[in-house]
């Protein structure tokens, strides 16, 4: 017997035929509608996933976090722990503004079925702002914890698929007709004996009640649509995180070309704003790439003019159109990348003569470093860690060796195939002209800095051997989690002590990553050897995962 067939109302009288018809309609609606209401849609933009590598309790650990596109939302976390003796893996979300005191108990991350060292969990991120995910490892070697910063921001506005819209529209029409028909029948036929034929007056009343019910339903739909549009506007304007507008222009100051950069906080986004803090000892990390050839790559560290204004002296660069990416870190722990475009004019001849070109032989591309022959006592000179690279010819997509200077090469141990959304370790080896290992030196605190960019600019990532997080964000959130009531100066002191800089370097460097989309990519690897900042460039094709 169909469900609801024994339904009875104390006020209404339905014939058996009416009850069976209504039960069949309700059964059909629930059987079709519930599976689609239970389904969920997912969307990804750019490269939102977070990668981090570290060592906990003597175990090498790789953490990958997939933040939700909407807030509140579930973040998917995977933890790969190398070695044996692991007993428990826990994960804990800590909201930056409250610290551990306002956090729930850690969740156990279970071992993935069929795996020996991969653990997964899902965590709710309930608030907008900076979070840190604390990953705890308990093993026979001891207990330890690492902190991974996460931006908890709404980044997508879900769109309903056309096929689902068509199904819901059909169901809506069916519900509308059924509602009007049921109200009309309840007002007339339900009050007469079973199997009695309705009179003309009852048929007229049925039509009137049906029209009235339909009008009421239309008004309810109109009111619901108005409410939904208001909620959608509020979400789009105030809760959806949008790109912050930025502007850049070149000015001539005392014969020096100076790049000025300014950004604004859009209306409704001021909750995401807090003063900037130093990351790797720099206010910003700027990357300029000449378009469309991508043959000039520049890494600058500007000086501060105001809360949202910065400037940097330009080295002798070729003129042309450049895209500028600026990495920023806030006191709150949020970190972001802003982008704009700028046209560079020809370098003044007097300024160009004050620089020394270093080219070991005609086959070496020109690599520049911030070694000005002018006085350097002014803050308006280039930063000592500024560097730029001009390609003599574009790298071949199949080339694994990049010549950097005097026969020295950076060799990419490229995987046989790079596929979108497939976890990989991008490993590189630095060797001299004879193929012998050549030691690396810390560059801005790390063994290397890797920049990856899709040819159309839809993906841009600045990452390090520990991952694509901001170390300043990691440090400030770790300090705030333990001392939520400490003042800012105490937090900055703790964060400075917490921040780890790589010192025990070899000739190898590796970066954890997974390309988010298929397509053509350009890679720039920056590192230091004998006090010189060098750049190795590569081109690669990322295929779609089958």
């Amino acid at each position: 017997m169909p469900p609801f067939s024994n339904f009875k109302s104390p006020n209404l009288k339905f014939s058996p035929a009416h009850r069976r018809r209504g039960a069949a309609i309700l059964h059909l609606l629930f059987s079709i509608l519930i599976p689609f209401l239970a389904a969920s849609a997912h969307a990804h933009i750019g490269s939102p996933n977070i990668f981090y590598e570290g060592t906990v309790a003597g175990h090498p650990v790789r953490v990958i976090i997939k933040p939700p596109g909407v807030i509140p939302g579930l973040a998917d976390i995977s933890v790969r722990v190398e070695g044996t003796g692991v007993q428990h893996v826990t994960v804990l979300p800590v909201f930056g503004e409250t610290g551990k005191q306002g956090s729930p108990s850690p969740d156990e991350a279970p071992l993935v079925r069929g795996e020996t060292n991969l653990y997964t969990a899902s965590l709710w991120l309930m608030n907008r702002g900076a979070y840190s995910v604390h990953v705890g490892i308990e093993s026979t070697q001891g207990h330890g914890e690492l902190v991974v910063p996460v931006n908890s921001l709404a980044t997508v506005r879900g769109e309903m698929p056309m096929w689902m819209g068509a199904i819901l529209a059909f169901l809506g029409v069916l519900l509308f007709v059924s509602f009007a028909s049921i109200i009309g029948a309840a007002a007339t036929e339900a009050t007469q004996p079973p199997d009695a034929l309705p009179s003309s007056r009852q048929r007229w009343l049925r039509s009137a009640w049906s029209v009235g019910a339909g009008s009421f339903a239309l008004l309810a739909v109109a009111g619901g649509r108005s409410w939904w549009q208001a909620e959608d506007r509020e979400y789009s304007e105030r809760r959806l995180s949008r790109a912050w507008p930025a502007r850049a222009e070149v000015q001539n100051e005392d014969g020096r070309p100076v790049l000025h950069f300014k950004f604004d906080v859009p209306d409704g986004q001021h909750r995401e704003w807090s003063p900037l803090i130093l990351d790797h000892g720099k206010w910003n990390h700027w990357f300029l790439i000449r378009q469309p050839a991508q043959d000039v790559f520049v890494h600058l560290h500007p000086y501060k003019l105001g809360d949202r204004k910065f400037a940097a002296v330009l080295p002798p660069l070729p003129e042309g159109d450049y895209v500028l990416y600026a990495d920023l870190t806030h006191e709150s722990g949020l970190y972001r990348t802003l982008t704009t475009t700028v046209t560079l004019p020809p370098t003044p001849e007097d300024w160009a003569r004050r620089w020394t070109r270093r080219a070991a032989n005609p086959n070496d591309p020109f690599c520049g470093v911030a070694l000005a022959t002018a006085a350097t006592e002014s803050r308006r000179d280039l930063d000592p860690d500024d560097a730029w690279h001009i390609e003599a010819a574009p790298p071949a997509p199949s080339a694994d060796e990049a010549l950097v200077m005097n026969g020295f090469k950076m060799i990419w141990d490229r995987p046989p195939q790079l596929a979108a959304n497939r976890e990989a370790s991008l490993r590189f080896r630095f060797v001299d002209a004879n193929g012998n290992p050549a030691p690396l030196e810390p560059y801005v605190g790390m063994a290397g800095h890797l920049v990856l960019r899709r040819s159309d600019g839809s993906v841009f990532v600045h990452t390090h051997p520990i991952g694509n997080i901001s170390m300043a964000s990691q440090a400030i959130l770790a300090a705030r989690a333990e001392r939520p009531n400490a003042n800012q100066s105490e937090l900055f002191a703790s964060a400075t002590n917490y921040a780890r800089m790589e010192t025990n370097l070899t000739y190898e460097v590796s970066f954890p990553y997974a390309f988010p989309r298929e397509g053509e990519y350009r890679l720039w690897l920056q590192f230091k050897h004998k006090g010189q900042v060098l750049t190795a460039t590569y081109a690669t094709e990322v295929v779609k995962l089958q």
Side-chain angles (χ1 to χ4, degrees):
M1 181 176 294
F4 302 102
S5 60
N6 293 322
F7 170 78
K8 295 182 180 180
S9 169
N11 301 319
L12 300 178
K13 297 180 181 180
F14 289 96
S15 68
H18 292 149
R19 291 199 295 267
R20 286 193 296 269
R21 188 183 308 133
I25 292 174
L26 290 175
H27 181 70
L28 175 65
L29 290 176
F30 274 88
S31 63
I32 294 177
L33 186 59
I34 287 178
F36 288 103
L37 293 179
S40 59
H42 302 276
H44 303 278
I45 300 175
S47 185
N49 295 345
I50 299 166
F51 301 85
Y52 180 79
E53 282 192 353
T55 301
V56 182
H59 295 272
V61 177
R62 172 178 290 184
V63 180
I64 300 178
I65 301 177
K66 298 179 180 179
V70 295
I71 304 299
L74 277 173
D76 294 326
I77 302 170
S78 65
V79 183
R80 190 176 295 277
V81 186
E82 300 295 337
T84 59
V86 178
Q87 298 170 333
H88 297 284
V89 176
T90 60
V91 291
L92 172 66
V94 178
F95 188 49
E97 296 181 8
T98 59
K100 282 189 175 181
Q101 294 179 357
S103 303
S105 301
D107 289 355
E108 183 88 12
L111 185 67
V112 176
R113 186 176 181 181
E115 295 282 348
T116 59
N117 62 350
L118 180 61
Y119 302 80
T120 62
S122 296
L123 296 177
W124 278 100
L125 304 184
M126 302 301 298
N127 297 309
R128 295 168 55 198
Y131 268 83
S132 58
V133 173
H134 294 235
V135 179
I137 308 292
E138 184 176 337
S139 75
T140 55
Q141 301 182 38
H143 175 79
E145 184 180 81
L146 56 81
V147 177
V148 184
V150 178
N151 284 347
S152 177
L153 300 173
T155 57
V156 298
R157 179 180 176 271
E159 298 290 342
M160 181 180 294
M162 184 176 296
W163 59 267
M164 182 176 287
I167 291 175
L168 293 178
F170 168 76
L171 294 177
V173 172
L174 186 61
L175 284 172
F176 174 82
V177 173
S178 300
F179 175 73
S181 176
I182 291 172
I183 294 298
T188 56
E189 298 177 23
T191 61
Q192 65 183 19
D195 300 325
L197 294 176
S199 64
S200 58
R201 180 176 180 277
Q202 288 176 324
R203 287 195 295 269
W204 183 87
L205 285 175
R206 175 174 179 170
S207 299
W209 276 99
S210 297
V211 170
S215 301
F216 173 80
L218 287 176
L219 289 175
V221 170
R225 182 174 183 270
S226 177
W227 167 81
W228 180 257
Q229 288 179 332
E231 286 292 313
D232 184 56
R233 284 194 302 270
E234 196 274 339
Y235 174 82
S236 299
E237 296 173 2
R238 304 189 62 84
R239 287 184 285 168
L240 183 65
S241 183
R242 304 191 305 276
W244 291 7
R247 300 178 298 279
E249 62 176 356
V250 179
Q251 300 178 8
N252 191 306
E253 299 180 3
D254 300 327
R256 302 176 180 185
V258 179
L259 179 59
H260 286 256
F261 175 81
K262 178 183 178 181
F263 65 91
D264 298 316
V265 181
D267 292 340
Q269 304 288 301
H270 290 278
R271 183 174 175 180
E272 298 180 18
W273 164 257
S274 63
L276 301 181
I277 59 175
L278 299 173
D279 185 21
H280 295 296
K282 315 294 183 182
W283 285 114
N284 296 176
H285 294 266
W286 288 359
F287 300 93
L288 288 91
I289 302 171
R290 189 163 72 160
Q291 297 300 300
Q294 301 186 108
D295 57 344
V296 182
F297 177 81
V298 190
H299 184 180
L300 301 178
H301 306 94
Y303 51 86
K304 188 176 182 181
L305 296 177
D307 282 346
R308 304 171 194 173
K309 297 180 181 180
F310 299 86
V313 177
L314 289 174
L317 299 173
E319 62 182 301
D321 296 328
Y322 288 74
V323 58
L324 186 155
Y325 300 92
D327 285 350
L328 321 173
T329 302
H330 297 270
E331 282 184 359
S332 64
L334 289 175
Y335 54 101
R336 69 182 70 246
T337 299
L338 307 183
T339 183
T340 187
T341 57
V342 62
T343 299
L344 301 189
T347 301
E349 294 184 4
D350 291 343
W351 180 242
R353 283 196 294 265
R354 298 164 73 181
W355 295 84
T356 302
R357 291 184 175 230
R358 298 177 297 105
N361 59 64
N363 295 323
D364 280 341
F366 168 56
C367 298
V369 293
L371 299 174
T373 58
T376 58
E377 68 276 2
S378 171
R379 68 169 186 162
R380 293 179 180 268
D381 284 307
L382 271 82
D383 188 280
D385 291 316
D386 289 351
W388 64 99
H389 179 81
I390 303 173
E391 282 290 342
S398 59
D400 297 331
E401 297 183 355
L403 187 65
V404 291
M405 75 166 190
N406 297 336
F408 281 71
K409 301 176 183 179
M410 182 63 81
I411 302 174
W412 181 12
D413 294 330
R414 191 193 306 239
Q417 185 184 68
L418 288 171
N421 296 308
R422 177 181 291 172
E423 180 183 348
S425 293
L426 307 179
R427 300 182 183 277
F428 301 86
R429 294 179 289 114
F430 187 48
V431 299
D432 62 19
N434 298 320
N436 299 316
L440 299 173
E441 300 171 1
Y443 172 49
V444 197
M446 310 298 293
H449 297 254
L450 182 65
V451 171
L452 308 97
R453 184 178 186 268
R454 198 171 185 266
S455 57
D456 62 357
S458 60
V459 176
F460 174 88
V461 176
H462 169 209
T463 187
H464 311 103
I466 64 169
N468 59 351
I469 67 166
S470 164
M471 287 189 64
S473 175
Q474 180 190 47
I476 198 72
L477 289 173
R480 188 177 288 129
E482 301 298 334
R483 306 174 62 191
N485 297 322
N487 58 44
Q488 287 297 104
S489 60
E490 293 175 335
L491 286 175
F492 289 144
S494 300
T496 302
N497 295 330
Y498 177 87
R500 176 176 63 88
M501 296 297 178
E502 295 190 75
T503 55
N504 298 323
L505 307 181
T506 64
Y507 72 105
E508 295 182 319
V509 61
S510 177
F511 303 85
Y513 191 61
F515 291 89
R517 296 178 59 191
E518 71 277 7
E520 297 178 356
Y521 284 80
R522 185 67 62 88
L523 284 70
W524 293 270
L525 172 58
Q526 290 193 302
F527 56 98
K528 184 179 283 189
H529 175 70
K530 293 186 177 179
Q532 297 183 359
V533 181
L534 306 173
T535 303
T537 62
Y538 306 89
T540 192
E541 177 78 15
V542 177
V543 300
K544 187 175 183 179
L545 186 62
Q546 299 298 326

